[in-house]
Amino acid sequence: QITLKESGPTLVKPTQTLTLTCTFSGFSLSTSGVGVGWIRQPPGKALECLALIYWDDDKRYSPSLKSRLTITKDTSKNQVVLTMTNMDPVDTATYYCAHSSYSGSFRNFDYWGQGTLVTVSS
Amino acid sequence: DIQMTQSPSSLSASVGDRVTITCRASQSISGYLNWYQQKAGKAPKLLIYAASRLQSGVPSRFSGSGSGTDFTLTISSLQPEDFATYYCQQSYSAFLTFGGGTKVEIK
């Protein structure tokens, strides 16, 4: 059974750096084809994919946020960490992590964490 | 990066109605298109992948079609539990991007 859970601060101040951890079970991030992504959703708005990391340590970032994001994995701990620098109130959102794998040759996010709400305010 | 555009952004429908949602990609993505359902306060749920393949456990009233740049999600007979927001997502590139969502509301 695959599960994921996000953890991190619920409140950060403007200009601070946000660090979120996704702790997962039921799969290994060293298995070929597997990835973990971070997706956020501001209140009442759409989903936005932020970053993805794959089993081979390939990393992909949102072009508009690339300069602020870093994604890393710790395979031994079954964790993926996302850092986002220079936080702003517009970054207030629910942040999800999700498991990505192939169905045939088609990639998707088939398992999701429950999400964690991060508020940016002074 | 590949942009995904959904229409309409919202719609009102009654139980039993046939509902169609459209998604358009900014470039051809072949059949690399997923659909998700998100209910209020919950994480998204994968409904359809590869444009038309139903994820395990998803009711058969959901179907997807399309290829290239134009795709549709159809709910053949809307049920009370289907009122939610639906998102398309391309998986043609290594960085997956979502559409803006379509909220299906009760008429």
Side-chain angles (χ1 to χ4, degrees):
Chain A
Q1 180 191 3
I2 290 176
T3 64
L4 305 98
K5 187 171 185 179
E6 307 86 354
S7 60
T10 58
L11 179 66
V12 298
K13 289 180 166 50
T15 75
Q16 286 187 335
T17 294
L18 171 68
T19 299
L20 293 172
T21 301
C22 176
T23 303
F24 56 85
S25 63
F27 68 95
S28 172
L29 202 35
S30 60
T31 300
S32 179
V34 173
V36 171
W38 282 97
I39 303 99
R40 73 176 178 180
Q41 185 172 40
K45 296 191 176 180
L47 300 167
E48 177 185 22
C49 192
L50 301 176
L52 277 153
I53 189 165
Y54 292 102
W55 82 100
D56 58 358
D57 210 37
D58 183 20
K59 300 168 186 177
R60 304 287 170 142
Y61 295 99
S62 165
S64 62
L65 294 168
K66 186 174 184 177
S67 64
R68 299 173 52 203
L69 296 171
T70 303
I71 190 169
T72 59
K73 63 181 174 72
D74 186 331
T75 305
S76 64
K77 291 184 179 179
N78 282 352
Q79 291 182 332
V80 171
V81 175
L82 180 76
T83 60
M84 181 181 291
T85 62
N86 195 25
M87 294 292 285
D88 183 272
V90 300
D91 296 313
T92 294
T94 296
Y95 288 75
Y96 296 97
C97 63
H99 169 270
S100 176
S101 67
Y102 286 105
S103 299
S105 59
F106 298 91
R107 181 169 289 284
N108 51 65
F109 288 129
D110 50 0
Y111 294 92
W112 293 66
Q114 63 189 27
T116 185
L117 176 62
V118 177
T119 301
V120 184
S121 175
S122 55
Chain B
D1 54 329
I2 301 172
Q3 309 297 325
M4 307 301 294
T5 304
Q6 286 182 237
S7 62
S9 56
S10 66
L11 64 89
S12 295
S14 301
V15 172
D17 283 354
R18 181 181 182 89
V19 169
T20 299
I21 298 168
T22 297
C23 178
R24 175 165 287 176
S26 60
Q27 66 180 74
S28 177
I29 58 170
S30 186
Y32 292 86
L33 193 282
N34 305 316
W35 289 99
Y36 297 83
Q37 176 194 64
Q38 186 182 32
K39 296 183 179 179
K42 300 294 186 181
K45 170 188 171 184
L46 178 66
L47 292 179
I48 288 172
Y49 64 95
S52 61
R53 301 183 192 179
L54 222 56
Q55 177 72 346
S56 176
V58 173
S60 59
R61 63 180 178 274
F62 291 94
S63 64
S65 64
S67 184
T69 60
D70 294 317
F71 301 86
T72 58
L73 171 70
T74 299
I75 309 172
S76 60
S77 177
L78 198 65
Q79 298 302 299
E81 60 267 32
D82 301 336
F83 291 96
T85 301
Y86 294 85
Y87 293 92
C88 63
Q89 178 199 51
Q90 64 81 21
S91 61
Y92 182 81
S93 71
F95 187 73
L96 286 66
T97 50
F98 291 94
T102 297
K103 187 174 184 179
V104 177
E105 298 176 299
I106 301 172
K107 192 178 226 180

